[in-house]
Amino acid sequence: MSERIFIGVAWPYANGSLHIGQIAGAYLPADIFARYHRIKGNEVVMVSGSDQHGTPITIKAEQEGKTPEEIADYYQREFLDCWQKFGISFDLFTSTGTPNHTEVTQDIFLKLLEKGYLYKNTVSQAYCPSCQRFLPDRYIEGTCPHCGDPKARGDQCDACGKPLNTAEVIDPRCRICGTAPVFRDSEHFFLKLTAFTDKLLDWVRQQEHWRANILNFTLRYLEEGLIDRAITRDIGWGIPVPVAGFEDKRIYVWFEAVIGYLSATKEWAKSGSDGEKWRSFWQDDGTKSYYFIGKDNIAFHTIIWPAMLLGYGDLNLPHDIPANEFLTIEGRKVSTSQNWAVWMPDYLERYDPDPLRYLLSINMPETSDTDFSWREFVRRNNDELVATYGNLVNRVLTFTYRNYDGCVPQPGELDDQSRVLLKKAEDTLAKIDGLFYGCHFREAIRTAMSLAQETNRYLDDKAPWKAIKEDRQAAATSLYAALSVISQLKTVLYPFLPFSSQKVHEYLGFEGKVEDYGWKRQDLPPGQKLLEPKPLFIKLDTALVEEETARLGQTS
Ligand SMILES: [Zn+2]
Ligand SMILES: [Zn+2]
């Protein structure tokens, strides 16, 4: 029986390029999971979009003398290009800048207001008398009370990493004009999070399938007690507040960005034949909703978004939030401002997608931080992808193609060793199935690779390249067994390595897409015409390690 799976993926800020830390944290695991469910024949919708609001975008726009729309549109195009080249298979990647998103956000706002979950309160806010505007936290600069750095922002000090309140910053200045801000009263809407603490605690305590770090973090947060949070602010860029008297204010980005999961599903449904199709993904009890995010975003998905959903009513809560830990680069934390990052557009300009998909899968930061290094990238590519998997596919297919008229050979009776190998391939399919269900992607790809290793050992024993001279039938049998395993490998590796799996699928003589053939044993009909194979992966020159490492931290 087929299942229905909703997959929501973190919304990247449209103010800079994507780096591989974000890919390892959310986008790749989400894509692997979506591809797995699609090949299983399940109904999947995977959505996300760029977050176009918030001060990071207005600051970038002011620095570059552009409008926030221009900045957001530029990065939206770049993101779409990255998904296409890297094979991140969104059903819809939209943005928070659409009329649809505004409509859905305002509907949620008004419904929560009507149900008494929003209320007005007056807060004291920084105001620049010279610019004549309220200043968001990030528009304030001053001296850090902890480390004395003179460039601390109103929300955080980058030098020591401590979060700050605007009021703590010593000698605060307006980041635009340098004037000292004054504090003025301003009226805002608050989300009554305190009303949800008990309901959320009950719900979270039932989520025993969550990763331990996520469950524990969420429980600690809830047990400390929630506080109500302002959901509007004094800025001009963002979604208008649908209440008279609030024309100069906008809905806070943290409140509306999470609504994107719902608005994107509605947009996706409208673009298809059935505009109401979003309902089955959001209102049907049988649907499971998964959210793929980085660990810096957990509370928004385990507490705040569920509170909003509970308040609104009749919408599914998350089933799982398999947030990943961080990926460090050459032993150091990613810093976009110091250019200590591997940028996706740069990577995709120079290398194929599957080698990075492979490395980030087999080294995924699922339960603890993991490290990316260029040395590891080259080693994994050359010693594992090329030497273990690529070489297996290439030597079996090339030899068969040349010696059996370009067709799948007719096997003789299988001996014990061949039967054991084929049984192992079938067990692998079942084992990986279970691993996918628990979102254990690292273990899943390791299991697939160990089947490839086992098949190489089998071929070393059988040596069909020698056997063919004395016993053509025995050689055909072992090649047939090896081809059968390769046919299963392309299925189990498809969620991880979609580009090379599709190639193997075609070399084996299958038509159409790997995905259409399902998650099952795919027997090869003897006599099926093969396609002349080419090497699946390219061996990389170790000289690139030094070149690439030297680029890190370079700022022009
Ligand atoms: Zn500091
Ligand atoms: Zn100013």
Side-chain angles (χ1 to χ4, degrees):
M1 209 180 71
S2 101
E3 295 176 63
R4 200 178 301 108
I5 309 285
F6 168 81
I7 301 174
V9 200
W11 291 58
Y13 266 133
N15 74 330
S17 298
L18 294 155
H19 58 79
I20 66 168
Q22 293 165 286
I23 300 294
Y27 302 101
L28 181 60
D31 182 65
I32 291 169
F33 196 63
R35 287 178 186 272
Y36 160 72
H37 279 289
R38 290 192 200 112
I39 197 171
K40 286 274 287 187
N42 291 333
E43 210 183 326
V44 174
V45 65
M46 174 164 99
V47 297
S48 179
S50 55
D51 185 343
Q52 302 207 340
H53 301 135
T55 44
I57 287 135
T58 49
I59 288 175
K60 176 103 177 175
E62 275 165 35
Q63 280 165 351
E64 299 198 356
K66 293 187 174 133
T67 64
E69 287 92 338
E70 284 171 329
I71 297 288
D73 288 349
Y74 175 86
Y75 286 107
Q76 172 74 0
R77 279 195 298 276
E78 192 182 284
F79 295 163
L80 288 170
D81 186 55
C82 171
W83 307 141
Q84 193 248 321
K85 288 182 178 150
F86 199 58
I88 302 294
S89 54
F90 282 112
D91 292 288
L92 179 69
F93 184 84
T94 178
S95 85
T96 56
T98 65
N100 169 69
H101 180 66
T102 296
E103 192 185 306
V104 176
T105 299
Q106 293 182 337
D107 170 55
I108 290 194
F109 185 101
L110 290 171
K111 183 79 162 271
L112 292 176
L113 182 63
E114 180 195 309
K115 291 175 98 172
Y117 293 122
L118 303 185
Y119 64 90
K120 284 185 213 169
N121 199 7
T122 300
V123 290
S124 169
Q125 283 228 290
Y127 180 87
C128 176
S130 141
C131 297
Q132 298 194 331
R133 60 183 276 183
F134 281 101
L135 298 173
D137 300 347
R138 284 180 180 239
Y139 276 77
I140 290 174
E141 207 170 66
T143 303
C144 171
H146 303 288
C147 73
D149 187 85
K151 289 245 172 206
R153 285 196 320 256
D155 60 342
Q156 183 178 311
C157 169
D158 278 341
C160 70
K162 294 219 168 79
L164 300 174
N165 288 318
T166 315
E168 301 178 82
V169 177
I170 302 164
D171 296 332
R173 301 177 299 277
C174 165
R175 223 171 125 170
I176 307 158
C177 72
T179 307
V182 294
F183 285 83
R184 280 199 185 174
D185 282 351
S186 178
E187 193 170 48
H188 284 287
F189 277 100
F190 277 70
L191 173 63
K192 206 189 270 179
L193 281 168
T194 43
F196 297 98
T197 309
D198 292 342
K199 271 188 209 164
L200 286 170
L201 265 172
D202 281 350
W203 172 66
V204 172
R205 284 187 180 129
Q206 294 165 36
Q207 311 304 315
E208 284 165 0
H209 57 282
W210 286 7
R211 287 183 183 167
N213 55 337
I214 291 154
L215 188 59
N216 295 336
F217 171 88
T218 307
L219 284 173
R220 263 201 318 276
Y221 202 110
L222 285 168
E223 280 156 5
E224 280 172 19
L226 297 177
I227 46 166
D228 297 346
R229 291 180 66 143
I231 63 160
T232 53
R233 59 191 331 199
D234 293 284
I235 45 171
W237 174 241
I239 296 190
V241 183
V243 173
F246 280 74
E247 290 76 8
D248 294 340
K249 305 182 187 199
R250 293 293 178 269
I251 295 177
Y252 222 139
V253 66
W254 68 260
F255 180 84
E256 53 102 347
V258 285
I259 296 174
Y261 296 118
L262 176 63
S263 68
T265 318
K266 290 188 174 184
E267 186 185 337
W268 164 81
K270 277 185 212 159
S271 70
S273 56
D274 179 6
E276 295 298 304
K277 203 168 160 57
W278 67 271
R279 292 186 189 278
S280 59
F281 284 94
W282 282 90
Q283 297 182 320
D284 188 315
D285 290 346
T287 300
K288 284 186 179 154
S289 310
Y290 291 81
Y291 292 79
F292 287 84
I293 54 164
K295 73 171 164 190
D296 48 344
N297 229 338
I298 296 172
F300 285 100
H301 293 79
T302 61
I303 294 167
I304 291 172
W305 179 227
M308 291 161 66
L309 291 167
L310 285 168
Y312 188 88
D314 199 24
L315 293 173
N316 287 340
L317 293 175
H319 170 71
D320 202 0
I321 301 128
N324 273 347
E325 304 282 317
F326 291 141
L327 183 77
T328 54
I329 306 291
E330 305 280 351
R332 271 174 57 183
K333 199 172 166 241
V334 169
S335 164
T336 54
S337 59
Q338 290 166 28
N339 196 29
W340 196 265
V342 177
W343 303 103
M344 286 308 285
D346 288 348
Y347 174 87
L348 290 165
E349 209 172 274
R350 297 197 284 279
Y351 308 102
D352 290 332
D354 277 357
L356 183 61
R357 290 183 67 114
Y358 176 74
L359 173 58
L360 296 182
S361 298
I362 208 151
N363 198 23
M364 194 169 272
E366 285 176 1
T367 49
S368 59
D369 292 355
T370 58
D371 188 51
F372 170 91
S373 74
W374 285 103
R375 184 166 305 283
E376 180 80 347
F377 172 71
V378 172
R379 187 187 72 75
R380 293 269 193 190
N381 179 76
N382 291 357
D383 297 358
E384 297 177 10
L385 218 41
V386 174
T388 303
Y389 177 46
N391 189 33
L392 167 68
V393 172
N394 196 52
R395 65 178 174 155
V396 172
L397 274 162
T398 307
F399 189 77
T400 310
Y401 188 84
R402 289 192 189 143
N403 291 280
Y404 293 86
D405 302 323
C407 293
V408 175
Q410 178 72 48
E413 203 185 326
L414 295 179
D415 58 312
D416 283 351
Q417 202 184 349
S418 306
R419 269 201 297 273
V420 167
L421 179 72
L422 290 177
K423 174 76 170 56
K424 165 130 191 178
E426 228 175 310
D427 293 347
T428 299
L429 199 72
K431 185 180 174 193
I432 293 180
D433 209 29
L435 291 168
F436 270 122
Y437 256 89
C439 296
H440 303 302
F441 304 125
R442 237 171 113 122
E443 193 54 30
I445 194 167
R446 282 169 195 225
T447 305
M449 288 304 282
S450 79
L451 177 61
Q453 276 167 350
E454 181 106 3
T455 314
N456 277 322
R457 281 193 293 272
Y458 167 87
L459 284 167
D460 291 344
D461 282 355
K462 293 287 184 188
W465 10 95
K466 283 187 211 141
I468 196 165
K469 290 169 198 136
E470 298 111 46
D471 188 346
R472 201 174 156 78
Q473 186 59 72
T477 305
S478 47
L479 287 167
Y480 183 83
L483 285 168
S484 302
V485 180
I486 290 169
S487 181
Q488 299 214 22
L489 280 170
K490 63 114 169 123
T491 304
V492 295
L493 286 171
Y494 165 72
F496 302 99
L497 311 173
F499 297 95
S500 46
S501 273
Q502 181 62 32
K503 281 189 200 163
V504 175
H505 182 73
E506 288 162 16
Y507 294 156
L508 288 169
F510 291 111
E511 284 173 357
K513 291 187 181 150
V514 189
E515 204 170 288
D516 303 334
Y517 283 69
W519 183 265
K520 57 179 194 289
R521 207 177 83 188
Q522 271 145 42
D523 291 332
L524 290 158
Q528 174 159 292
K529 204 109 189 70
L530 301 170
L531 211 67
E532 187 167 10
K534 294 191 194 78
L536 272 190
F537 307 104
I538 304 163
K539 202 169 174 206
L540 296 169
D541 188 340
T542 49
L544 77 81
V545 174
E546 210 174 314
E547 283 165 34
E548 293 288 0
T549 313
R551 296 162 68 105
L552 283 167
Q554 296 273 329
T555 45
S556 49

